[in-house]
Amino acid sequence: MDHFSEAPIPRFPSPLARALRFMPLAPVSLALTRLTRNMATRHASMFRRLGEHADARFLLDPTDLPVTLCLEPMQGRPKITLYRSPPQADARIAGPLAALIGLVHGAYDGDALFFSRDLVIEGDTAAALALRNAVDDAELDIATEIENLSGPFARPLHKLIELAERRTGVALTRHEEDLLW
Amino acid sequence: MVMEIVCPAGTPAALRAAVKAGAHTIYCGFADETNARNFPGLNFSREEMAEGIAFAHARGSKVLIAINTFPRAGSENLWHAAVSDAETAGADAVILADMGLLAYAANNHPNLRRHLSVQAAAANAEVINFYGAEFGIKRVVLPRVLSVQEITAINKETDIETEVFVFGGLCVMAEGRCSLSSYATGLSPNMNGVCSPASHVEYIEDGGALSAKLGGYTIHSVGEGEPAPYPTLCKGCFNAGDKSGHLFEDPVSLNAEQLIPQLAKAGVTALKIEGRQRSRSYVAQVVKNFRAAVEAVDAGRPLPEGMMARLSEGQAVTTGAYKKTWR
């Protein structure tokens, strides 16, 4: 955990980001929606924690990518839609992709990223806070969720993700807190 | 004897992280206005609380439940139910502030250990002994307005355990009596469990400058690259005539790590970390650091290297009132 929280936040490589401008948004949106719905079945309490904000529209904006994600929790049947230009939303949470993924995996503290201005929050602050707290409590591991949908490719994919994590310094998986005492 | 680390947990995941990181004790609250961190997405259902306590007890940690707001007339049942549910869930103690609620707990749940919350603002031995004699409190959380010398004086005159804040957000107003937040939002920490609530917070970024607003009022504005502020009224930066400055206090965090040996000598039993609104990452990092620090002090070793500036509000730290100086 300390490894990620103390090191500078990696930025997505610009040439790759430029290439993503040509990414077809509809199929990726569908795949991300499926992934998120899968997570929702295993982490129902995450959506309960959103409380009155369970119908809000959240704009997750990786500032080093040419796309933004609109997350609609829809009372536990979440939907993700990718946009090239940010649409209207209740709250916007923006920062480097590595910071957003690291927040999900508990590698970073949201307040610390906000104080250092690595993270920007706009719009409904209470909704953004509820989402941050709900995700933090869910102890999600995006890599494991993707592997669960990958059938026979799960094991090689796991090795690939581990390698990418070591090479990029991005917290692509959830790291258990060390059992020190 | 190693000083007790009392660590915050706003969610079950943070509680588990605290236990694994070495917290002796974790404090948390129910998901309603009975505790002073009633924030969106935070706190514990009754079921989550019972599970969290079982998890902590299985690993040798204790759990305290903060029921430290002030009951509203006509709605006392909400606070009474919280005390009763805390005992049912197996809490090691409840942290209370209101005298009526202390009396209720002492009369109806005599076997449930009672701690006096910082919200009660008990800042001298006489009042602490009064709470001990009348309501049987076993520990007091001291307000963040006392110097080490004053804490020493208190401990000489009372047998009640003392717990002091060592890390996290500062609140140096007369705690439990501050209504600043109410003026801008209608909601206060004492009655509603929220100071400067997120529902009334707005951030506006304009060409690199960031304005932080509370209830429509600009509380602080910073330039590009400066640490982002949370618009807590007492930590605002205001303009008056041709001057601008922090009126009440600077937006910095408390870090009394270097004072742990002095606090131990002053007779303090437990060291409290603020931050139930923070992530499990914060909890794990701060607990690991403070656990290492108290182990070092107990073993007579030098304190580990300084830490955690990045985690702090304003990205700057202070020893607060423990070492009073003029500026």
Side-chain angles (χ1 to χ4, degrees):
Chain A
M1 259 180 138
D2 286 345
H3 167 69
F4 294 111
S5 53
E6 296 300 325
I9 298 166
R11 297 298 195 269
F12 200 81
S14 307
L16 276 177
R18 279 197 292 276
L20 288 177
R21 285 184 194 156
F22 306 104
M23 174 174 65
L25 299 187
V28 180
S29 299
L30 275 175
L32 288 174
T33 297
R34 189 179 164 206
L35 178 72
T36 319
R37 287 198 176 158
N38 233 40
M39 286 185 193
T41 55
R42 268 196 291 281
H43 302 276
S45 67
M46 178 167 65
F47 294 92
R48 279 201 303 275
R49 269 191 186 273
L50 286 173
E52 61 183 284
H53 305 290
D55 286 319
R57 274 164 64 90
F58 298 94
L59 203 59
L60 309 176
D61 189 357
T63 48
D64 45 1
L65 292 189
V67 292
T68 54
L69 293 81
C70 181
L71 165 66
E72 297 169 87
M74 296 168 73
Q75 303 284 347
R77 274 196 51 83
K79 182 181 170 195
I80 288 192
T81 315
L82 290 184
Y83 292 90
R84 296 198 203 279
S85 306
Q88 284 289 320
D90 295 296
R92 173 176 173 259
I93 303 171
L97 179 67
L100 298 177
I101 294 176
L103 271 178
V104 172
H105 289 143
Y108 296 114
D109 173 65
D111 282 18
L113 289 182
F114 175 73
F115 295 146
S116 64
R117 298 184 71 174
D118 290 305
L119 204 67
V120 172
I121 293 171
E122 287 174 344
D124 187 338
T125 311
L129 199 61
L131 180 66
R132 190 281 303 264
N133 290 333
V135 169
D136 194 58
D137 182 55
E139 298 176 316
L140 300 173
D141 188 333
I142 299 173
T144 304
E145 300 290 345
I146 294 172
E147 287 162 30
N148 287 342
L149 293 174
S150 307
F153 304 107
R155 191 173 282 251
L157 190 63
H158 181 79
K159 288 195 182 307
L160 196 65
I161 290 170
E162 276 185 341
L163 180 70
E165 187 171 75
R166 280 199 301 274
R167 289 279 171 87
T168 62
V170 178
L172 296 171
T173 57
R174 177 179 165 241
H175 289 253
E176 279 280 342
E177 294 81 16
D178 295 332
L179 196 54
L180 290 181
W181 306 98
Chain B
M1 195 170 144
V2 178
M3 294 174 93
E4 180 181 333
I5 300 292
V6 183
C7 167
T11 61
L15 182 146
R16 291 191 290 272
V19 170
K20 290 179 192 172
H24 301 107
T25 303
I26 296 98
Y27 67 101
C28 39
F30 290 123
D32 56 35
E33 57 195 304
T34 61
N35 86 91
R37 287 287 184 275
N38 182 22
F39 293 173
L42 219 57
N43 295 315
F44 291 63
S45 67
R46 269 42 178 181
E47 191 184 1
E48 287 170 338
M49 187 67 83
E51 287 169 2
I53 290 171
F55 181 90
H57 284 176
R59 288 155 186 82
S61 299
K62 292 179 181 170
V63 177
L64 317 178
I65 300 182
I67 308 172
N68 58 347
T69 48
F70 295 82
R72 238 185 359 266
S75 301
E76 293 90 345
N77 281 348
L78 181 65
W79 279 262
H80 293 173
V83 174
S84 172
D85 293 342
E87 186 167 47
T88 306
D92 294 281
V94 283
I95 309 171
L96 310 175
D98 181 77
M99 279 199 210
L101 194 59
L102 278 158
Y104 171 84
N107 292 332
N108 295 283
H109 302 275
N111 297 323
L112 180 60
R113 186 177 152 104
R114 293 170 292 286
H115 291 185
L116 189 65
S117 167
V118 68
Q119 287 279 92
N124 60 68
E126 204 166 12
V127 72
I128 292 166
N129 287 332
F130 167 79
Y131 277 107
E134 293 299 320
F135 309 116
I137 63 154
K138 301 293 182 203
R139 180 181 294 182
V140 55
V141 184
L142 294 176
R144 286 161 278 194
V145 296
L146 299 169
S147 67
V148 174
Q149 289 79 6
E150 288 165 333
I151 293 168
T152 307
I154 286 173
N155 277 324
K156 279 183 183 159
E157 294 175 43
T158 183
D159 293 329
I160 291 166
E161 295 174 358
T162 52
E163 178 175 312
V164 301
F165 281 93
V166 285
F167 193 82
L170 267 175
C171 173
V172 297
M173 312 302 291
E175 296 183 64
R177 295 168 196 168
C178 177
S179 295
L180 270 180
S181 175
S182 292
Y183 288 107
T185 68
L187 299 170
S188 79
N190 313 317
M191 303 303 288
N192 313 96
V194 279
C195 174
S196 307
S199 53
H200 292 65
V201 169
E202 189 184 7
Y203 289 101
I204 296 170
E205 193 144 359
D206 185 13
L210 179 70
S211 292
K213 294 185 166 215
L214 181 70
Y217 303 102
T218 301
I219 305 301
H220 205 338
S221 186
V222 292
E224 194 165 4
E226 291 183 71
Y230 189 85
T232 314
L233 261 178
C234 63
K235 294 174 185 169
C237 188
F238 302 99
N239 297 326
D242 58 351
K243 290 183 180 166
S244 87
H246 298 284
L247 189 56
F248 302 102
E249 55 177 310
D250 294 355
V252 295
S253 274
L254 174 70
N255 185 359
E257 182 201 14
Q258 295 300 319
L259 298 176
I260 292 174
Q262 293 175 53
L263 293 168
K265 209 175 281 181
V268 169
T269 300
L271 304 174
K272 184 166 198 148
I273 295 162
E274 187 273 348
R276 276 191 281 149
Q277 72 283 18
R278 302 293 292 266
S279 66
R280 62 181 204 267
S281 164
Y282 167 93
V283 163
Q285 289 181 55
V286 178
V287 170
K288 271 192 272 186
N289 279 292
F290 272 95
R291 178 72 191 253
V294 293
E295 297 279 345
V297 168
D298 186 60
R301 297 193 306 268
L303 284 167
E305 280 296 305
M307 54 188 183
M308 301 179 295
R310 189 180 158 81
L311 288 170
S312 306
E313 182 177 6
Q315 300 200 295
V317 293
T318 173
T319 51
Y322 295 129
K323 275 179 151 178
K324 285 178 182 165
T325 55
W326 293 101
R327 70 172 176 183

